[in-house]
Amino acid sequence: MLMQFLASGFMLGSVYGLVALGFAAIYKATRVFNFAQGMLMATGAYLAVTGSVVLGLPLVGTIAFVVVAAGTLGVVIQWLLIRPLAGRPLLAMVMITIALSIILRALIVIIFGGGAQTLRLGLPEGSFVLGSVRISAIHATAAGVSWLCMALFMVFFRFSKAGLLMRATADSHEAAVLSGVNVNRINATAWALGTILAAIGGVFLGQLQVASVELENIGLLALPAVVIGGLQSIPGAIIGGLLVGLIEQLSSGYISPKARDIFVYVPLLIILLVRPWGLFGERELGRV
Amino acid sequence: MSGVASAEAVLEVQGVFAAYAAKATALSDVSLTIPAGGMVALLGSNGAGKTTLIKAISGLLPLHHGTLVSGSVRIAGTNITGLRADRIVRLGLGQVPEGRLVFKHLTVEENLQVGAAVVPRAVGRERIAAVYDLFPRLAERRRQQAGLMSGGEQQMLALGRALASAPRILLIDELSLGLAPIIVKAIYAQLRAVRAAFGTAMLVVEQNAKLALEICDTAYVLERGVIVMSGSAAEVAASDRIRESYLGSSGGAL
Ligand SMILES: Nc1ncnc2c1ncn2[C@@H]1O[C@H](COP(=O)(O)OP(=O)(O)OP(=O)(O)O)[C@@H](O)[C@H]1O
Ligand SMILES: [Mg+2]
């Protein structure tokens, strides 16, 4: 059983890692703690519903639709809500993202109704056996695509010019401005990427379960994931996501599905108490 | 100063008033002109408004809750008053800020690449190579994280990053802070070489007035937000006021 729990924990954790990575990208570049990340993930599932059911697009078309729509949504959010509040206290920013998630939820319920929607994208179904573990094809696809997206993001962040400017902006806003970086454009890019990563996670979770606004609760697991991994650390977010997936599967497998939240949020509290910069984050040495 | 036609001025500040939320008047009717390729010293005691003037020129005042109340700033004839700071950089203004703001988590090379990001790739590469020639110490440490370098090395990096953007005009705020005097002299000598090679004009804020007056062609003296004196470096150095308050001598030879 242990191997089975570890395998499914790893695969779910990969999707959480993806959503957490989106959260960390937004936080790192814009210093906004985005409580709407869970709802953005749920929105991704509904974008997939829109693409495949409403517009009748094939799989590739639906994926393209989700990516473009989520990216646009991220830019709009940054432009409309985040940018005007630049430099305001943290509380205002946090309230904005909470309000945003409530508004998104209401919009989804108005458009799609409150009930859950089944999402069938035509991804490979069935399952296969690997050693002593049975793996569902959808879980495997979800994990594989998540790792691909995470790898693409890391390559972008490390090696592209836009990624360099994003890291520079995260490092020092003022130094970036006086080096000629258009910080607004960088922040919009970070929001677009963060939203796209959340939405892709939402597509898979909608596929593994159903598309529902309640997916938000799963998406919000990105928060403990990034806090455990370290808010400032991009790899930390991925590892935090994996840990949350493993903890979830082990605790619900051995104890009870209800135990998940305790085993995820208790480590969160411990980390905040003894190592607030997370497992992989860097201790912040006084802010300028 | 009046001899400089405004058409050939690379930087022209006219009648600038600036204020902070917590300070009603930080600059009062400040005007200053830098001819193409000119090297101009800006002197003044602590709190005189030198850094404020630099931020007023570079568009960074809003980031510090300050405003340019009135007046105008032009780069090579283009009015840049009120433009966003990053656009001003793209128009050819480079800056070495007070307190060496480098990107601490990026490597030396990446810091320079961010500086060069505003110019075409080939120009950037050429400029970064020139920076490495100028500061071999940066070349040796190109893969090192900037935050782990010594204060003086970070200061060189801040200067290198500004030079990598191939600026028409460079604003330098207290380069000597934290640097050994001998290094400061060497860097200023190199800045003169940069000017000779690329025609870069410079506005130099410097606590070491003696040194600044040696290397610059002209000088302005700012006191409590007002320009109280300007002229050729030799004229300013010879004035009693400067000799007493900045050069630490009451009548002795420079
Ligand atoms: N952000 C700010 N808010 C309010 N007042 C400010 C701010 N920055 C500077 N000042 C005030 O404006 C005046 C000019 O400051 P500025 O930093 O320009 O002086 P400076 O000539 O650069 O001094 P120093 O040689 O010490 O660097 C000072 O009285 C200072 O207290
Ligand atoms: Mg100053």
Side-chain angles (χ1 to χ4, degrees):
Chain A
M1 279 316 270
L2 177 64
M3 287 312 287
Q4 184 70 53
F5 293 145
L6 289 178
S8 50
F10 174 82
M11 287 181 290
L12 264 184
S14 305
V15 182
Y16 297 165
L18 185 68
V19 179
L21 178 61
F23 180 96
I26 289 173
Y27 180 80
K28 214 172 155 63
T30 68
R31 289 298 147 98
V32 176
F33 201 88
N34 180 23
F35 278 100
Q37 191 74 0
M39 212 55 201
L40 290 176
M41 196 195 84
T43 304
Y46 280 95
L47 287 174
V49 169
T50 309
S52 70
V53 181
V54 181
L55 303 176
L57 298 171
L59 177 60
V60 177
T62 302
I63 292 170
F65 174 76
V66 170
V67 168
V68 171
T72 309
L73 177 64
V75 170
V76 169
I77 292 171
Q78 193 274 339
W79 199 72
L80 220 57
L81 303 177
I82 306 302
R83 186 173 158 180
L85 285 185
R88 296 286 186 82
L90 196 63
L91 182 64
M93 289 297 200
V94 165
M95 292 305 290
I96 281 273
T97 66
I98 292 176
L100 172 65
S101 80
I102 294 173
I103 291 169
L104 284 173
R105 173 186 285 258
L107 282 175
I108 291 175
V109 171
I110 290 171
I111 297 172
F112 295 93
Q117 308 249 347
T118 43
L119 183 54
R120 286 271 161 274
L121 291 178
L123 292 173
E125 311 241 346
S127 62
F128 55 94
V129 176
L130 196 75
S132 61
V133 238
R134 173 165 292 277
I135 293 171
S136 90
I138 288 194
H139 278 86
T141 311
V145 174
S146 294
W147 281 102
L148 179 67
C149 293
M150 292 190 280
L152 286 175
F153 180 87
M154 295 297 263
V155 168
F156 163 82
F157 200 61
R158 283 268 129 228
F159 300 112
S160 77
K161 180 173 163 184
L164 173 67
L165 299 185
M166 196 173 280
R167 284 184 287 138
T169 307
D171 197 316
S172 165
H173 182 100
E174 180 164 8
V177 170
L178 61 80
S179 303
V181 178
N182 184 343
V183 171
N184 278 324
R185 192 181 301 159
I186 293 296
N187 287 352
T189 310
W191 271 88
L193 290 174
T195 308
I196 290 172
L197 295 179
I200 293 175
V203 171
F204 284 112
L205 285 166
Q207 184 88 135
L208 295 171
Q209 309 191 350
V210 286
S212 141
V213 281
E214 301 313 325
L215 282 180
E216 178 183 21
N217 296 327
I218 302 179
L220 283 179
L221 288 173
L223 272 51
V226 287
V227 173
I228 291 171
L231 268 177
Q232 294 291 341
S233 164
I234 292 286
I238 296 173
I239 295 168
L242 281 176
L243 282 177
V244 168
L246 289 169
I247 293 172
E248 171 184 316
Q249 289 301 302
L250 290 172
S251 60
S252 58
Y254 285 114
I255 303 170
S256 128
K258 298 267 179 259
R260 175 190 84 186
D261 290 346
I262 297 174
F263 285 93
V264 169
Y265 283 90
V266 166
L268 168 82
L269 294 179
I270 295 172
I271 289 275
L272 285 178
L273 288 172
V274 305
R275 203 183 151 85
W277 54 95
L279 294 179
F280 301 93
E282 243 182 87
R283 189 176 201 151
E284 267 194 63
L285 302 167
R287 305 234 350 230
V288 192
Chain B
M1 284 285 86
S2 52
V4 179
S6 56
E8 58 181 275
V10 65
L11 179 77
E12 215 178 358
V13 176
Q14 241 165 27
V16 160
F17 286 76
Y20 290 105
K23 187 178 171 76
T25 315
L27 293 177
S28 179
D29 198 15
V30 170
S31 298
L32 169 156
T33 305
I34 300 183
M39 228 169 159
V40 175
L42 179 60
L43 307 178
S45 48
N46 294 122
K50 305 179 297 293
T51 300
T52 305
L53 177 54
I54 287 207
K55 288 184 177 138
I57 295 168
S58 60
L60 280 175
L61 272 184
L63 210 59
H64 295 268
H65 307 285
T67 35
L68 200 163
V69 180
S70 65
S72 72
V73 183
R74 283 166 192 280
I75 287 185
T78 308
N79 192 343
I80 59 160
T81 325
L83 277 192
R84 261 198 350 247
D86 61 280
R87 301 218 26 221
I88 296 177
V89 174
R90 279 160 201 280
L91 289 171
L93 183 123
Q95 198 180 160
V96 184
E98 195 172 32
R100 59 176 97 95
L101 280 169
V102 298
F103 301 110
K104 288 192 164 41
H105 297 95
L106 305 190
T107 64
V108 167
E109 176 107 1
E110 286 172 334
N111 268 271
L112 297 177
Q113 283 169 347
V114 174
V118 295
V119 292
R121 203 173 274 267
V123 178
R125 217 175 286 138
E126 187 186 304
R127 283 304 185 115
I128 290 177
V131 168
Y132 283 145
D133 282 346
L134 219 50
F135 302 111
R137 185 113 40 125
L138 294 182
E140 286 161 25
R141 288 169 174 59
R142 64 175 78 193
R143 308 237 170 276
Q144 188 169 326
Q145 209 180 317
L148 301 178
M149 299 205 304
S150 80
E153 288 164 348
Q154 290 186 30
Q155 191 64 284
M156 291 176 200
L157 180 57
L159 175 57
R161 184 184 65 205
L163 289 173
S165 70
R168 257 198 258 249
I169 170 143
L170 189 55
L171 311 181
I172 304 175
D173 198 350
E174 304 211 12
L175 184 74
S176 56
L177 214 68
L179 289 176
I182 185 152
I183 303 275
V184 175
K185 279 210 150 170
I187 292 184
Y188 277 126
Q190 283 160 326
L191 282 179
R192 290 185 71 98
V194 166
R195 163 167 83 160
F198 299 106
T200 315
M202 300 182 200
L203 178 64
V204 178
V205 171
E206 179 53 68
Q207 288 294 346
N208 184 340
K210 181 169 183 289
L211 183 58
L213 290 171
E214 273 169 26
I215 58 154
C216 290
D217 329 317
T218 56
Y220 289 80
V221 182
L222 194 61
E223 281 309 330
R224 287 196 210 89
V226 180
I227 298 278
V228 293
M229 189 188 302
S230 67
S232 75
E235 280 164 29
V236 170
S239 80
D240 288 343
R241 180 174 196 150
I242 291 302
R243 283 154 67 136
E244 277 164 29
S245 0
Y246 295 99
L247 301 176
S249 62
S250 42
L254 255 183

